[in-house]
Amino acid sequence: DTEDKEEPLTWSEGDEPSNFCDWTIEVQRIVHEQESDTALKNQGKDNNKYNNKHGGGKRGKENNNSKNEEPCTNSNVKCYHVHKAILSVGPRRSDYFATLFKQSHLSEFATNTSHIQLESSAADSFPALLDYIYTEKMIKFSAKNATALRHLAHYFGMRPLWKQASAFIRGDFSLDTAATYLSEAIVYHDEKLENASIAILAENIEEINRRTLTKLSPSSFERIFASPRLKCRSRKLSDIVLKYCQTQGGSVDMSLLMKCTRSEVMPSVSRKAALPLLKVAVAGEQKAGVDMSNTHNVLRARCVETCVEEW
């Protein structure tokens, strides 16, 4: 009789737990100041602690909500109601929670709640992690979520999922996806993926969409230009640097400009970029309080040379 058939247990989100839920996972999104003008002061500054392995009494980053504050009313906090038996048993179990649920003396058991802070892409991917545990569904990986899911799998002790995510990244990694993987690898301190991304971007920088390059952080842009794998014609490189400076504006300081335009990688500049780059160089010198007009191994001199040739 279909009416007598029991519905499978499911996790739920929000204020109302689904049937027989006996644990809550409170996930707080780490908001960095540069991500939003409305970010709370000092929120998300301690994300280096996030990589602590589970064990003992430490269960990820503790949420600092006061006792009088309703956690799930915060837009950066989501509450997931789950079942301890499902999270800790079976081929898709989490070793993290399996270990936690054996230690009833921990503070989490006072409220039957785990408080965990996650970077944005990991917080967005957390429901997919729960679906993976609860159902037979395969996770839909993408360049935007694969690194975060692999990090979650490692953090929560889910080796099969970690292997799946790693296999997807190996197959999906290409010039088209390298910039995305670089950004995510930096967030999750994946040095191997960082280095691979930098290498492929440096070797093929002329082929990369300019819009993709201008979205890179200044530190990532600098690392590409510092890579021994960098391959690009000098004048083409000057066009790329100009576009980046025009897009990033004040984020490009004199130090970054000098590193990206050093004579070893950019002995000459294009006619198109010469005058605009000269203005960028002069503005950078003025902002830094230096005068390099009488030196030769700098961007200003090469821009002037090209402008004179053009005239």
Side-chain angles (χ1 to χ4, degrees):
D1 191 344
T2 56
E3 294 184 358
D4 295 332
K5 187 176 180 180
E6 293 185 1
E7 291 291 328
L9 295 177
T10 60
W11 61 271
S12 62
E13 177 187 340
D15 297 329
E16 294 298 326
S18 57
N19 289 340
F20 307 110
C21 287
D22 54 2
W23 196 263
T24 299
I25 304 172
E26 183 185 296
V27 174
Q28 180 171 12
R29 183 186 303 270
I30 297 173
V31 180
H32 300 280
E33 290 183 358
Q34 66 270 27
E35 292 176 357
S36 172
D37 292 334
T38 59
L40 296 176
K41 186 177 180 181
N42 296 326
Q43 187 175 14
K45 286 186 176 179
D46 297 328
N47 61 314
N48 287 336
K49 295 180 182 178
Y50 173 68
N51 289 314
N52 291 337
K53 292 183 179 179
H54 60 277
K58 296 181 180 179
R59 299 292 162 198
K61 252 177 113 176
E62 285 298 323
N63 190 329
N64 292 322
N65 287 326
S66 66
K67 292 181 180 179
N68 296 325
E69 186 176 294
E70 291 295 332
C72 292
T73 61
N74 186 332
S75 61
N76 293 318
V77 176
K78 289 190 176 181
C79 294
Y80 300 93
H81 306 286
V82 296
H83 306 83
K84 291 190 287 186
I86 294 180
L87 263 61
S88 59
V89 178
R92 293 189 171 193
R93 70 182 180 278
S94 161
D95 289 341
Y96 172 102
F97 285 109
T99 301
L100 170 64
F101 296 149
K102 293 175 183 177
Q103 303 184 60
S104 58
H105 63 283
L106 296 177
S107 60
E108 286 93 328
F109 282 84
T111 57
N112 290 332
T113 302
S114 293
H115 305 276
I116 299 171
Q117 290 191 339
L118 298 175
E119 296 286 353
S120 290
S121 56
D124 290 339
S125 299
F126 194 76
L129 184 83
L130 292 178
D131 281 341
Y132 173 84
I133 296 174
Y134 270 79
T135 70
E136 298 298 320
K137 295 179 182 178
M138 296 297 292
I139 285 184
K140 293 182 179 180
F141 291 105
S142 70
K144 292 182 178 180
N145 71 13
T147 309
L149 282 166
R150 183 165 70 172
H151 182 77
L152 287 173
H154 172 73
Y155 186 80
F156 289 110
M158 300 168 66
R159 185 67 179 175
L161 179 59
W162 186 91
K163 289 182 177 179
Q164 290 179 30
S166 296
F168 176 85
I169 292 172
R170 285 194 297 271
D172 186 58
F173 186 79
S174 68
L175 182 59
D176 292 333
T177 58
T180 299
Y181 281 118
L182 174 59
S183 298
E184 288 293 285
I186 291 171
V187 170
Y188 298 107
H189 309 286
D190 190 330
E191 186 176 343
K192 185 177 180 180
L193 186 55
E194 278 186 51
N195 292 337
S197 300
I198 290 292
I200 192 172
L201 291 171
E203 287 180 343
N204 302 278
I205 193 168
E206 289 192 28
E207 302 173 36
I208 305 170
N209 183 285
R210 297 288 174 83
R211 190 175 180 183
T212 299
L213 282 174
T214 56
K215 288 182 178 180
L216 292 173
S217 67
S219 59
S220 295
F221 194 75
E222 179 182 333
R223 287 181 63 186
I224 291 172
F225 275 73
S227 172
R229 308 285 282 274
L230 182 66
K231 293 180 181 178
C232 187
R233 290 167 292 174
S234 177
R235 296 186 178 185
K236 187 77 171 179
L237 210 57
S238 67
D239 293 337
I240 292 172
V241 172
L242 173 61
K243 183 67 175 179
Y244 189 79
C245 290
Q246 291 173 333
T247 304
Q248 290 286 330
S251 298
V252 181
D253 58 19
M254 195 61 194
S255 174
L256 175 60
L257 185 62
M258 290 181 68
K259 289 176 181 177
C260 293
T261 61
R262 63 193 189 278
S263 58
E264 305 95 88
V265 296
M266 193 189 295
S268 61
V269 299
S270 72
R271 293 179 178 180
K272 177 183 177 181
L275 185 57
L277 267 181
L278 177 59
K279 293 178 180 179
V280 169
V282 172
E285 290 175 23
Q286 291 175 344
K287 186 177 180 180
V290 296
D291 183 3
M292 299 184 175
S293 58
N294 295 321
T295 58
H296 299 289
N297 191 29
V298 291
L299 175 61
R300 179 195 280 233
R302 277 165 276 152
C303 290
V304 170
E305 287 174 8
T306 303
C307 289
V308 169
E309 291 174 3
E310 179 69 10
W311 292 332

